[in-house]
mmCIF file of all heavy atoms in Angstrom:
data_model
loop_
_atom_site.group_PDB
_atom_site.id
_atom_site.type_symbol
_atom_site.label_atom_id
_atom_site.label_comp_id
_atom_site.label_asym_id
_atom_site.label_seq_id
_atom_site.Cartn_x
_atom_site.Cartn_y
_atom_site.Cartn_z
ATOM 1 N N LEU A 1 87.833 136.255 83.752
ATOM 2 C CA LEU A 1 88.611 136.572 82.638
ATOM 3 C C LEU A 1 89.648 137.824 82.861
ATOM 4 O O LEU A 1 90.768 137.790 82.494
ATOM 5 C CB LEU A 1 87.624 137.016 81.525
ATOM 6 C CG LEU A 1 88.279 137.424 80.097
ATOM 7 C CD1 LEU A 1 89.185 136.330 79.676
ATOM 8 C CD2 LEU A 1 87.290 137.974 79.103
ATOM 9 N N ALA A 2 89.156 138.819 83.601
ATOM 10 C CA ALA A 2 89.967 139.945 83.868
ATOM 11 C C ALA A 2 91.133 139.618 84.762
ATOM 12 O O ALA A 2 92.251 140.063 84.561
ATOM 13 C CB ALA A 2 89.190 141.059 84.468
ATOM 14 N N ASP A 3 90.988 138.728 85.754
ATOM 15 C CA ASP A 3 92.028 138.288 86.566
ATOM 16 C C ASP A 3 93.045 137.507 85.798
ATOM 17 O O ASP A 3 94.305 137.563 86.043
ATOM 18 C CB ASP A 3 91.503 137.484 87.699
ATOM 19 C CG ASP A 3 90.750 138.353 88.785
ATOM 20 O OD1 ASP A 3 90.953 139.531 88.787
ATOM 21 O OD2 ASP A 3 89.926 137.732 89.631
ATOM 22 N N LEU A 4 92.614 136.617 84.909
ATOM 23 C CA LEU A 4 93.609 135.848 84.117
ATOM 24 C C LEU A 4 94.283 136.696 83.155
ATOM 25 O O LEU A 4 95.480 136.441 82.911
ATOM 26 C CB LEU A 4 92.754 134.634 83.331
ATOM 27 C CG LEU A 4 92.273 133.538 84.301
ATOM 28 C CD1 LEU A 4 91.373 132.608 83.447
ATOM 29 C CD2 LEU A 4 93.454 132.851 84.833
ATOM 30 N N GLU A 5 93.629 137.687 82.571
ATOM 31 C CA GLU A 5 94.311 138.640 81.709
ATOM 32 C C GLU A 5 95.464 139.305 82.325
ATOM 33 O O GLU A 5 96.568 139.668 81.778
ATOM 34 C CB GLU A 5 93.364 139.460 80.951
ATOM 35 C CG GLU A 5 92.507 138.872 79.887
ATOM 36 C CD GLU A 5 91.618 139.767 79.268
ATOM 37 O OE1 GLU A 5 91.209 140.861 79.851
ATOM 38 O OE2 GLU A 5 91.152 139.485 78.080
ATOM 39 N N GLN A 6 95.300 139.682 83.663
ATOM 40 C CA GLN A 6 96.291 140.342 84.314
ATOM 41 C C GLN A 6 97.525 139.502 84.556
ATOM 42 O O GLN A 6 98.611 140.030 84.658
ATOM 43 C CB GLN A 6 95.717 140.770 85.761
ATOM 44 C CG GLN A 6 94.918 141.989 85.749
ATOM 45 C CD GLN A 6 94.510 142.500 87.118
ATOM 46 O OE1 GLN A 6 94.743 141.747 88.181
ATOM 47 N NE2 GLN A 6 94.018 143.643 87.156
ATOM 48 N N ARG A 7 97.259 138.121 84.613
ATOM 49 C CA ARG A 7 98.350 137.173 84.913
ATOM 50 C C ARG A 7 99.105 136.734 83.655
ATOM 51 O O ARG A 7 100.257 136.609 83.595
ATOM 52 C CB ARG A 7 97.859 135.980 85.758
ATOM 53 C CG ARG A 7 97.492 136.373 87.085
ATOM 54 C CD ARG A 7 96.725 135.112 87.734
ATOM 55 N NE ARG A 7 96.515 135.444 89.084
ATOM 56 C CZ ARG A 7 97.096 134.830 90.282
ATOM 57 N NH1 ARG A 7 98.075 134.018 90.084
ATOM 58 N NH2 ARG A 7 96.644 135.196 91.421
ATOM 59 N N ILE A 8 98.327 136.535 82.546
ATOM 60 C CA ILE A 8 98.943 135.940 81.370
ATOM 61 C C ILE A 8 98.711 136.740 80.087
ATOM 62 O O ILE A 8 99.237 136.348 78.996
ATOM 63 C CB ILE A 8 98.519 134.514 81.165
ATOM 64 C CG1 ILE A 8 97.007 134.444 80.926
ATOM 65 C CG2 ILE A 8 98.845 133.654 82.382
ATOM 66 C CD1 ILE A 8 96.444 133.003 80.633
ATOM 67 N N GLY A 9 98.036 137.940 80.255
ATOM 68 C CA GLY A 9 97.924 138.793 79.037
ATOM 69 C C GLY A 9 96.566 138.544 78.294
ATOM 70 O O GLY A 9 95.869 137.640 78.674
ATOM 71 N N PRO A 10 96.335 139.449 77.451
ATOM 72 C CA PRO A 10 95.021 139.337 76.703
ATOM 73 C C PRO A 10 94.979 138.291 75.542
ATOM 74 O O PRO A 10 94.773 138.567 74.389
ATOM 75 C CB PRO A 10 94.866 140.796 76.062
ATOM 76 C CG PRO A 10 96.385 141.113 75.770
ATOM 77 C CD PRO A 10 97.060 140.539 76.905
ATOM 78 N N ARG A 11 95.139 137.093 75.970
ATOM 79 C CA ARG A 11 95.133 135.947 75.020
ATOM 80 C C ARG A 11 94.201 134.853 75.601
ATOM 81 O O ARG A 11 94.520 133.702 75.233
ATOM 82 C CB ARG A 11 96.522 135.481 74.724
ATOM 83 C CG ARG A 11 97.380 135.114 75.899
ATOM 84 C CD ARG A 11 98.833 134.657 75.612
ATOM 85 N NE ARG A 11 99.623 134.501 76.793
ATOM 86 C CZ ARG A 11 100.205 133.367 77.141
ATOM 87 N NH1 ARG A 11 100.025 132.225 76.416
ATOM 88 N NH2 ARG A 11 100.992 133.269 78.162
ATOM 89 N N VAL A 12 93.233 135.248 76.340
ATOM 90 C CA VAL A 12 92.446 134.149 76.963
ATOM 91 C C VAL A 12 90.939 134.356 76.532
ATOM 92 O O VAL A 12 90.406 135.545 76.403
ATOM 93 C CB VAL A 12 92.469 134.368 78.605
ATOM 94 C CG1 VAL A 12 91.527 133.239 79.188
ATOM 95 C CG2 VAL A 12 93.845 134.364 79.027
ATOM 96 N N ARG A 13 90.320 133.319 76.203
ATOM 97 C CA ARG A 13 88.830 133.247 76.005
ATOM 98 C C ARG A 13 88.213 132.255 76.807
ATOM 99 O O ARG A 13 88.761 131.144 77.068
ATOM 100 C CB ARG A 13 88.527 132.953 74.475
ATOM 101 C CG ARG A 13 88.984 134.027 73.490
ATOM 102 C CD ARG A 13 88.528 133.794 72.115
ATOM 103 N NE ARG A 13 88.948 134.935 71.204
ATOM 104 C CZ ARG A 13 88.729 134.936 69.911
ATOM 105 N NH1 ARG A 13 88.292 133.882 69.225
ATOM 106 N NH2 ARG A 13 89.126 136.019 69.212
ATOM 107 N N LEU A 14 86.985 132.574 77.367
ATOM 108 C CA LEU A 14 86.264 131.647 78.173
ATOM 109 C C LEU A 14 85.009 131.226 77.554
ATOM 110 O O LEU A 14 84.469 132.007 76.841
ATOM 111 C CB LEU A 14 85.918 132.342 79.548
ATOM 112 C CG LEU A 14 87.025 132.901 80.375
ATOM 113 C CD1 LEU A 14 86.407 133.555 81.719
ATOM 114 C CD2 LEU A 14 87.891 131.818 80.900
ATOM 115 N N ALA A 15 84.538 130.029 77.849
ATOM 116 C CA ALA A 15 83.272 129.543 77.404
ATOM 117 C C ALA A 15 82.781 128.502 78.383
ATOM 118 O O ALA A 15 83.467 127.909 78.993
ATOM 119 C CB ALA A 15 83.308 128.949 75.940
ATOM 120 N N ASN A 16 81.458 128.393 78.415
ATOM 121 C CA ASN A 16 80.724 127.254 79.073
ATOM 122 C C ASN A 16 81.349 125.941 78.496
ATOM 123 O O ASN A 16 81.580 125.758 77.376
ATOM 124 C CB ASN A 16 79.288 127.405 78.953
ATOM 125 C CG ASN A 16 78.504 126.311 79.677
ATOM 126 O OD1 ASN A 16 78.267 125.270 79.033
ATOM 127 N ND2 ASN A 16 78.283 126.422 80.914
ATOM 128 N N ASP A 17 81.433 124.980 79.459
ATOM 129 C CA ASP A 17 82.016 123.711 79.078
ATOM 130 C C ASP A 17 81.092 122.968 78.077
ATOM 131 O O ASP A 17 81.682 122.265 77.186
ATOM 132 C CB ASP A 17 82.351 122.749 80.306
ATOM 133 C CG ASP A 17 81.190 122.706 81.289
ATOM 134 O OD1 ASP A 17 80.050 123.155 80.978
ATOM 135 O OD2 ASP A 17 81.430 122.249 82.381
ATOM 136 N N ALA A 18 79.825 123.143 78.130
ATOM 137 C CA ALA A 18 78.964 122.566 77.072
ATOM 138 C C ALA A 18 79.037 123.230 75.787
ATOM 139 O O ALA A 18 79.041 122.541 74.702
ATOM 140 C CB ALA A 18 77.566 122.637 77.540
ATOM 141 N N ASP A 19 79.376 124.471 75.716
ATOM 142 C CA ASP A 19 79.731 125.248 74.464
ATOM 143 C C ASP A 19 81.021 124.760 73.891
ATOM 144 O O ASP A 19 81.041 124.479 72.654
ATOM 145 C CB ASP A 19 79.777 126.707 74.758
ATOM 146 C CG ASP A 19 78.540 127.406 74.954
ATOM 147 O OD1 ASP A 19 77.508 126.879 74.634
ATOM 148 O OD2 ASP A 19 78.539 128.531 75.605
ATOM 149 N N CYS A 20 81.949 124.353 74.734
ATOM 150 C CA CYS A 20 83.218 123.867 74.172
ATOM 151 C C CYS A 20 82.953 122.426 73.626
ATOM 152 O O CYS A 20 83.666 122.111 72.551
ATOM 153 C CB CYS A 20 84.264 123.842 75.386
ATOM 154 S SG CYS A 20 84.804 125.391 75.872
ATOM 155 N N PHE A 21 82.207 121.723 74.190
ATOM 156 C CA PHE A 21 81.893 120.349 73.668
ATOM 157 C C PHE A 21 81.250 120.508 72.280
ATOM 158 O O PHE A 21 81.667 119.852 71.406
ATOM 159 C CB PHE A 21 80.881 119.583 74.628
ATOM 160 C CG PHE A 21 80.170 118.425 73.994
ATOM 161 C CD1 PHE A 21 80.858 117.261 73.846
ATOM 162 C CD2 PHE A 21 78.961 118.591 73.476
ATOM 163 C CE1 PHE A 21 80.339 116.102 73.266
ATOM 164 C CE2 PHE A 21 78.373 117.411 72.844
ATOM 165 C CZ PHE A 21 79.075 116.261 72.781
ATOM 166 N N ALA A 22 80.277 121.380 72.186
ATOM 167 C CA ALA A 22 79.535 121.577 70.890
ATOM 168 C C ALA A 22 80.623 122.086 69.844
ATOM 169 O O ALA A 22 80.565 121.467 68.713
ATOM 170 C CB ALA A 22 78.445 122.587 71.035
ATOM 171 N N LEU A 23 81.416 122.964 70.227
ATOM 172 C CA LEU A 23 82.431 123.513 69.263
ATOM 173 C C LEU A 23 83.395 122.423 68.797
ATOM 174 O O LEU A 23 83.757 122.373 67.548
ATOM 175 C CB LEU A 23 83.206 124.679 69.830
ATOM 176 C CG LEU A 23 84.192 125.379 68.948
ATOM 177 C CD1 LEU A 23 83.547 125.907 67.722
ATOM 178 C CD2 LEU A 23 84.865 126.488 69.772
ATOM 179 N N SER A 24 83.855 121.629 69.757
ATOM 180 C CA SER A 24 84.774 120.454 69.420
ATOM 181 C C SER A 24 84.168 119.455 68.406
ATOM 182 O O SER A 24 84.717 119.217 67.405
ATOM 183 C CB SER A 24 85.165 119.773 70.710
ATOM 184 O OG SER A 24 85.792 118.545 70.317
ATOM 185 N N GLU A 25 82.941 119.161 68.645
ATOM 186 C CA GLU A 25 82.348 118.094 67.792
ATOM 187 C C GLU A 25 81.979 118.696 66.511
ATOM 188 O O GLU A 25 81.857 117.965 65.462
ATOM 189 C CB GLU A 25 81.001 117.562 68.499
ATOM 190 C CG GLU A 25 81.370 116.675 69.783
ATOM 191 C CD GLU A 25 82.214 115.415 69.382
ATOM 192 O OE1 GLU A 25 82.116 114.898 68.174
ATOM 193 O OE2 GLU A 25 83.092 115.032 70.154
ATOM 194 N N ALA A 26 81.637 119.956 66.392
ATOM 195 C CA ALA A 26 81.394 120.723 65.174
ATOM 196 C C ALA A 26 82.546 120.972 64.382
ATOM 197 O O ALA A 26 82.507 120.995 63.071
ATOM 198 C CB ALA A 26 80.630 121.941 65.383
ATOM 199 N N SER A 27 83.778 121.171 65.102
ATOM 200 C CA SER A 27 84.976 121.442 64.385
ATOM 201 C C SER A 27 85.613 120.152 63.598
ATOM 202 O O SER A 27 85.934 120.240 62.573
ATOM 203 C CB SER A 27 86.028 122.055 65.295
ATOM 204 O OG SER A 27 85.506 123.223 65.882
ATOM 205 N N ASP A 28 85.843 119.206 64.432
ATOM 206 C CA ASP A 28 86.459 118.015 63.832
ATOM 207 C C ASP A 28 85.943 116.653 64.420
ATOM 208 O O ASP A 28 86.627 115.722 64.566
ATOM 209 C CB ASP A 28 87.916 118.024 63.913
ATOM 210 C CG ASP A 28 88.426 118.134 65.308
ATOM 211 O OD1 ASP A 28 87.690 118.260 66.175
ATOM 212 O OD2 ASP A 28 89.700 117.944 65.549
ATOM 213 N N GLY A 29 84.701 116.662 64.876
ATOM 214 C CA GLY A 29 84.023 115.558 65.574
ATOM 215 C C GLY A 29 82.825 114.989 64.748
ATOM 216 O O GLY A 29 82.733 115.191 63.519
ATOM 217 N N ALA A 30 81.869 114.585 65.507
ATOM 218 C CA ALA A 30 80.701 113.912 64.862
ATOM 219 C C ALA A 30 79.914 114.868 63.978
ATOM 220 O O ALA A 30 79.210 114.435 62.938
ATOM 221 C CB ALA A 30 79.805 113.219 65.923
ATOM 222 N N GLY A 31 79.942 116.197 64.320
ATOM 223 C CA GLY A 31 79.178 117.159 63.563
ATOM 224 C C GLY A 31 79.876 117.876 62.548
ATOM 225 O O GLY A 31 79.358 118.934 62.010
ATOM 226 N N ALA A 32 81.108 117.513 62.200
ATOM 227 C CA ALA A 32 82.021 118.337 61.393
ATOM 228 C C ALA A 32 81.488 118.560 60.028
ATOM 229 O O ALA A 32 81.741 119.589 59.379
ATOM 230 C CB ALA A 32 83.350 117.644 61.263
ATOM 231 N N ASP A 33 80.665 117.708 59.512
ATOM 232 C CA ASP A 33 80.034 117.807 58.116
ATOM 233 C C ASP A 33 78.595 118.565 58.099
ATOM 234 O O ASP A 33 77.907 118.625 57.061
ATOM 235 C CB ASP A 33 80.041 116.570 57.389
ATOM 236 C CG ASP A 33 81.369 115.937 57.157
ATOM 237 O OD1 ASP A 33 82.343 116.705 56.988
ATOM 238 O OD2 ASP A 33 81.434 114.653 57.220
ATOM 239 N N HIS A 34 78.347 119.085 59.232
ATOM 240 C CA HIS A 34 76.977 119.734 59.341
ATOM 241 C C HIS A 34 77.001 121.197 59.488
ATOM 242 O O HIS A 34 77.819 121.686 60.292
ATOM 243 C CB HIS A 34 76.093 118.974 60.443
ATOM 244 C CG HIS A 34 75.925 117.486 60.257
ATOM 245 N ND1 HIS A 34 74.858 117.032 59.449
ATOM 246 C CD2 HIS A 34 76.707 116.530 60.645
ATOM 247 C CE1 HIS A 34 74.972 115.682 59.478
ATOM 248 N NE2 HIS A 34 76.082 115.320 60.173
ATOM 249 N N HIS A 35 76.058 121.900 58.891
ATOM 250 C CA HIS A 35 76.011 123.365 58.815
ATOM 251 C C HIS A 35 75.605 123.839 60.293
ATOM 252 O O HIS A 35 76.239 124.800 60.737
ATOM 253 C CB HIS A 35 75.016 123.795 57.885
ATOM 254 C CG HIS A 35 74.594 125.236 57.997
ATOM 255 N ND1 HIS A 35 75.405 126.240 57.813
ATOM 256 C CD2 HIS A 35 73.308 125.876 58.204
ATOM 257 C CE1 HIS A 35 74.809 127.345 57.934
ATOM 258 N NE2 HIS A 35 73.496 127.141 58.228
ATOM 259 N N THR A 36 74.620 123.325 60.952
ATOM 260 C CA THR A 36 74.227 123.741 62.259
ATOM 261 C C THR A 36 74.293 122.540 63.220
ATOM 262 O O THR A 36 73.663 121.468 62.984
ATOM 263 C CB THR A 36 72.815 124.289 62.283
ATOM 264 O OG1 THR A 36 72.779 125.309 61.290
ATOM 265 C CG2 THR A 36 72.468 124.862 63.541
ATOM 266 N N VAL A 37 74.938 122.751 64.309
ATOM 267 C CA VAL A 37 75.196 121.570 65.259
ATOM 268 C C VAL A 37 74.731 121.956 66.631
ATOM 269 O O VAL A 37 75.259 123.076 67.219
ATOM 270 C CB VAL A 37 76.649 121.146 65.278
ATOM 271 C CG1 VAL A 37 76.894 120.047 66.423
ATOM 272 C CG2 VAL A 37 77.064 120.610 64.032
#
């Protein structure tokens, strides 16, 4: 994260790829209508 911020500025967030999967499906995927996914 620190190395990327040096190159492109403080506009980067990192997450585990499984976390990203969960967030995608909870945002507008199969879990979008559920409180906890």
Side-chain angles (χ1 to χ4, degrees):
L1 179 61
D3 287 342
L4 288 172
E5 286 182 335
Q6 283 188 347
R7 290 173 179 249
I8 62 178
R11 53 182 172 121
V12 184
R13 290 183 179 177
L14 301 178
N16 178 265
D17 46 13
D19 288 339
C20 291
F21 165 79
L23 183 58
S24 171
E25 292 298 327
S27 295
D28 63 352
D33 296 327
H34 297 275
H35 168 61
T36 306
V37 177

